[in-house]
Amino acid sequence: MAGMVLPPNASPFGYILPGSNANPFTSLLPSSFPPGTPQHIIEAFRYSDKDGNGFIDDKELKAVLSTCDHGFSLRTIHLLMYSFTSTNTRVIGPREFVQLFTSLQQWRDVFERNDRDRNGKIDSYELQQTLQTLGYPVPPTVLNLLVLKFDKSGRNYALSYDNFIECCIVVKGLSDKFKEKETVGIATFTYETFLLSVLPFVVA
């Protein structure tokens, strides 16, 4: 993917702009491919856009990513789509698709770099180190809850790549929503703002 550079306000774990208070249930506006988009990414999107309406839905995105060694559950797909569109309409356009597609290699690198024993999973210690490196020093009680929630095997106390991505998107998304309102470690939300901040991660 040479030549593709993420914008300065992008991050490997999502593209929701800080301070954005947009309603997550509004429609996604049409977009176009950024200049310099590699042809294989354009072709992947157009192949998946079966009806040619300029958007691909959740199942189409899941299918195209699975062909690129990124096999995600439908819930993780929904979280990815929300992270890059700030909407919960479960469609994605060309611009957001390029950002997501380009970021996935960074995500894979983060996972493999922190999977120190090379067993294909991130254990609780590795997860704690990863989140701390990303700027999210979650306390031990929260870390234990995260591992119990996102270890879908229910017995290994470790996260696969899919579950790792799902966990990091949720932690980052909720933490960023808190930081938008934070003043000296305390955040104040109206009831509606709180629900709009949390629900997209619940209903994904």
Side-chain angles (χ1 to χ4, degrees):
M1 296 182 184
M4 286 299 298
V5 179
L6 286 176
N9 52 356
S11 85
F13 285 95
Y15 197 72
I16 299 175
L17 298 178
S20 173
N21 294 315
N23 188 322
F25 301 99
T26 57
S27 298
L28 180 65
L29 296 175
S31 64
S32 57
F33 293 104
T37 300
Q39 189 61 33
H40 71 279
I41 298 181
I42 296 175
E43 291 174 357
F45 181 89
R46 289 178 175 168
Y47 177 80
S48 302
D49 181 16
K50 302 297 185 183
D51 57 8
N53 69 347
F55 296 100
I56 58 176
D57 64 23
D58 50 355
K59 295 179 178 62
E60 292 168 335
L61 181 61
K62 185 177 189 298
V64 69
L65 291 182
S66 68
T67 66
C68 305
D69 196 30
H70 295 290
F72 295 125
S73 68
L74 207 52
R75 171 170 165 78
T76 302
I77 291 292
H78 293 160
L79 288 168
L80 284 168
M81 297 178 93
Y82 175 68
S83 294
F84 283 88
T85 65
S86 297
T87 76
N88 209 50
T89 54
R90 296 182 180 175
V91 295
I92 194 167
R95 180 183 62 191
E96 298 82 18
F97 178 77
V98 172
Q99 293 161 357
L100 187 156
F101 202 100
T102 305
S103 293
L104 280 177
Q105 186 56 56
Q106 294 181 335
W107 296 8
R108 177 71 77 176
D109 290 345
V110 168
F111 180 84
E112 292 179 352
R113 186 166 60 249
N114 288 280
D115 177 19
R116 293 182 173 84
D117 54 9
R118 299 294 183 265
N119 68 346
K121 292 182 180 293
I122 294 286
D123 63 28
S124 58
Y125 174 77
E126 293 165 339
L127 179 62
Q128 181 185 41
Q129 296 300 305
T130 303
L131 292 174
Q132 188 162 347
T133 299
L134 293 170
Y136 305 102
V138 298
T141 51
V142 175
L143 182 72
N144 290 337
L145 288 173
L146 290 173
V147 174
L148 288 173
K149 166 65 178 176
F150 293 105
D151 171 22
K152 300 304 171 67
S153 72
R155 60 183 183 277
N156 293 326
Y157 298 101
L159 311 185
S160 66
Y161 175 59
D162 176 24
N163 303 144
F164 168 76
I165 295 299
E166 181 184 353
C167 175
C168 287
I169 292 174
V170 170
V171 171
K172 179 186 185 301
L174 292 176
S175 297
D176 288 353
K177 292 296 183 182
F178 177 86
K179 289 179 180 179
E180 289 176 11
K181 305 288 186 180
E182 180 186 8
T183 304
V184 196
I186 298 174
T188 302
F189 293 83
T190 66
Y191 183 56
E192 180 182 10
T193 301
F194 171 76
L195 290 178
L196 289 175
S197 297
V198 172
L199 280 177
F201 300 97
V202 175
V203 302

